[in-house]
Amino acid sequence: WSGPSVKVQKPLWPTSLKSVWTGLPLGAAFTFCIVSVETRVQIQESVRGKDVFVIQTVSKDVNTTIMEMLIMVYACRTSCARSITGVLPYFPYSKQCKMRKRGSIVSKLMASMMCKAGLTHLITMDLHQKEIQGFFNIPVDNLRASPFLLQYIQEEIPDYRNAVIVAKSPASAKRAQSFAERLRLGIAVIHGEAQDAESDQVDGRHSPPTVKTTGAIHPSMEIPLLIPKEKPPISVVGDVGGRIAIIVDDIIDDVDSFVAAAETLKERGAYKIFVMATHGLLSCEAPRFIEESAIDEVVVTNTIPHELQKLQCPKIKTVDISMILSEAIRRIHNGESMSYLFRNIGVDD
């Protein structure tokens, strides 16, 4: 099987490369940029009639990463590979999976491009919304990282029985409830938001207009006047006093909301604060903000490389999920059932 290798300025043969997930040698393939900054991919061994697994992690330059994968998948397709399985631990643009005003559902575009390029199967982990699977017309295995994060809580937090699982917004309450039920812990939900938040300018909070208009409508018809959305002050539903607060989410990128939640929990009496998420994008100044915040530890999986961020902030810890990805690859190649990887997984995980 084959996977994207390191991007270089001139073609190089990969030497003694090993996959960290399966222990198999990587296929002889490489990517490089030509003078016009176009991405070029060459497969330098036969893939005719073989099962190809294209492993691609998302780098900082996400658009280049996507093009590398699409071109490599298309190259394998035109080289008569029997099947082409994409292994994307983090599905890029997954947060753009809902329609915003005058926007687009970019996740649907990503799915269409991958299917058109030649993917026959997709392995990913913790999609931002499970409905994204419906954008594909190929099988999608949406693996879960929750068993690894739960194991970390039980093994690395000695007094976790005195903890409470926290959802930093009502939207993530289902995930928090799933964690709390498995650990037999209580749950708390942070509700409301800071005053004068920027979000009220992008989510249409002040729309529709607060005056009745009948310009283009028949005089006898009027659009009902809707009540504008209110911004309730921040409140914590649940007791966190004298407890360990464990905030759970699927993606941690812009850490402002997590830092604000940690400060709120600290004010309510929580004496230790952990943040647990599957995908640690940790963009821009996130490591510095975490280091200066009330957060004691941020735990993420290695679906996205974040070694540089860990050097900048010792509070960031990594949970290895390579085992479940390698087992998924093995089972798909051998035609075995995938249900074993989803045992004890709930709908809300």
Side-chain angles (χ1 to χ4, degrees):
W1 54 275
S2 176
S5 56
V6 180
K7 181 176 69 175
V8 295
Q9 296 302 319
K10 57 182 180 180
L12 293 175
W13 280 86
T15 57
S16 66
L17 293 176
K18 294 289 183 180
S19 167
V20 295
W21 287 329
T22 62
L24 297 175
L26 289 176
F30 62 91
T31 64
F32 60 97
C33 292
I34 58 179
V35 178
S36 60
V37 201
E38 294 180 355
T39 300
R40 180 172 294 178
V41 171
Q42 292 183 1
I43 310 296
Q44 301 212 342
E45 62 180 88
S46 176
V47 297
R48 182 180 296 271
K50 296 182 180 180
D51 293 330
V52 178
F53 294 85
V54 180
I55 301 174
Q56 184 66 295
T57 55
V58 177
S59 63
K60 187 176 181 180
D61 189 356
V62 60
N63 295 326
T64 299
T65 298
I66 293 169
M67 284 305 301
E68 287 180 355
M69 191 204 71
L70 292 176
I71 296 173
M72 179 162 285
V73 168
Y74 189 68
C76 293
R77 174 188 174 185
T78 54
S79 298
C80 301
R82 182 173 66 176
S83 67
I84 307 171
T85 302
V87 183
L88 283 82
Y90 169 70
F91 186 73
Y93 287 98
S94 61
K95 290 196 288 186
Q96 298 189 48
C97 59
K98 293 182 179 180
M99 177 62 74
R100 304 295 181 185
K101 66 176 182 180
R102 291 184 290 276
S104 61
I105 305 176
V106 184
S107 294
K108 170 62 176 175
L109 174 63
M110 291 294 305
S112 300
M113 290 193 300
M114 291 179 184
C115 295
K116 189 67 176 178
L119 274 189
T120 59
H121 202 128
L122 177 67
I123 302 174
T124 186
M125 178 162 284
D126 277 344
L127 289 170
H128 186 57
Q129 295 290 337
K130 299 174 184 64
E131 293 77 10
I132 294 177
Q133 297 177 77
F135 295 161
F136 291 84
N137 54 14
I138 58 175
V140 177
D141 287 313
N142 181 26
L143 305 177
R144 307 293 199 277
S146 56
F148 297 90
L149 298 176
L150 291 170
Q151 183 180 17
Y152 183 93
I153 293 175
Q154 293 172 324
E155 295 180 355
E156 302 298 330
I157 305 178
D159 48 348
Y160 81 92
R161 289 294 181 186
N162 187 36
V164 58
I165 305 299
V166 179
K168 70 178 180 67
S169 67
S172 56
K174 287 187 176 181
R175 179 182 295 270
Q177 180 182 0
S178 177
F179 273 64
E181 290 176 350
R182 281 166 169 73
L183 295 170
R184 294 177 174 83
L185 299 176
I187 184 175
V189 180
I190 299 177
H191 181 259
E193 57 183 323
Q195 301 298 313
D196 298 325
E198 293 182 1
S199 59
D200 60 350
Q201 299 178 8
V202 298
D203 66 358
R205 179 165 295 156
H206 297 307
S207 178
T210 56
V211 295
K212 296 182 180 180
T213 57
T214 58
I217 306 178
H218 192 275
S220 63
M221 299 175 61
E222 288 186 355
I223 298 176
L225 182 64
L226 299 182
I227 300 174
K229 296 180 182 179
E230 296 293 335
K231 295 189 295 183
I234 293 179
S235 61
V236 179
V237 182
D239 182 21
V240 297
R243 313 283 289 277
I244 299 174
I246 304 176
I247 305 173
V248 296
D249 212 333
D250 61 332
I251 300 173
I252 176 169
D253 186 8
D254 182 7
V255 298
D256 290 344
S257 59
F258 291 93
V259 171
E263 293 176 355
T264 301
L265 294 171
K266 210 72 170 176
E267 294 173 358
R268 301 302 194 278
Y271 72 92
K272 238 179 202 183
I273 300 171
F274 291 79
V275 174
M276 312 202 76
T278 303
H279 309 296
L281 276 69
L282 302 170
S283 302
C284 301
E285 297 295 319
R288 181 174 63 84
F289 292 152
I290 293 172
E291 186 66 25
E292 298 172 355
S293 71
I295 300 173
D296 293 282
E297 195 169 286
V298 173
V299 182
V300 294
T301 70
N302 55 350
T303 55
I304 298 174
H306 52 266
E307 295 304 321
L308 180 60
Q309 289 88 333
K310 289 179 67 175
L311 293 176
Q312 298 172 349
C313 179
K315 292 182 180 180
I316 301 173
K317 308 297 180 182
T318 306
V319 174
D320 182 25
I321 47 83
S322 60
M323 181 187 303
I324 192 171
L325 290 171
S326 60
E327 180 64 13
I329 293 173
R330 188 192 68 80
R331 286 176 175 269
I332 289 175
H333 177 66
N334 294 328
E336 300 176 13
S337 172
M338 296 286 288
S339 60
Y340 176 79
L341 303 181
F342 295 93
R343 69 192 189 283
N344 300 326
I345 295 296
V347 177
D348 298 326
D349 284 348

